[in-house]
Amino acid sequence: TTCSIIKDDTQLTYNSLTPYPYCSLDSGYKCVMDSNECGGTFLAVGALPWLDPCFCHHIPTGMCYLKSALITTESTSFCATSDYDCPDDYFWQSASILENRADPPRI
């Protein structure tokens, strides 16, 4: 396969980057991985052609963190794009949950 979460490897231009969808919110638009991360009106890739495209570096990521850890630190957690990225002994926290937390997820 020549496509990845980042780009189409058969091309070496700006247009080869993989586009992602938008979410329409009261405060504007945000780039999302999929409709589960939206929290507003989900807009497919290309639905609003006048907006700048969303690429992987615009997408907020979630976090996998160790189930047995008493606190979440750099050594007990890592960034991830979905729960499928988490090993069995890790919990998943989505980007939308992380964005709405009052306290930081790591100390």
Side-chain angles (χ1 to χ4, degrees):
T1 179
T2 60
C3 293
S4 72
I5 195 169
I6 299 172
K7 65 181 177 173
D8 178 351
D9 292 329
T10 62
Q11 301 177 32
L12 299 175
T13 66
Y14 177 80
N15 292 329
S16 68
L17 294 173
T18 301
Y20 289 88
Y22 288 93
C23 182
S24 175
L25 306 168
D26 291 338
S27 59
Y29 298 95
K30 74 174 185 175
C31 299
V32 294
M33 178 69 75
D34 58 38
S35 60
N36 295 328
E37 293 294 321
C38 187
T41 302
F42 180 74
L43 301 168
V45 172
L48 302 175
W50 62 86
L51 285 178
D52 289 335
C54 288
F55 297 122
C56 65
H57 56 281
H58 300 120
I59 306 295
T61 60
M63 179 178 71
C64 297
Y65 59 99
L66 193 61
K67 291 177 180 179
S68 62
L70 298 176
I71 57 173
T72 305
T73 65
E74 285 187 42
S75 63
T76 62
S77 64
F78 59 91
C79 295
T81 58
S82 77
D83 57 339
Y84 297 109
D85 297 328
C86 301
D88 290 339
D89 54 341
Y90 280 72
F91 286 119
W92 162 249
Q93 200 161 63
S94 70
S96 57
I97 291 172
L98 289 172
E99 287 178 332
N100 293 310
R101 285 182 58 152
D103 58 331
R106 292 185 178 172
I107 57 169

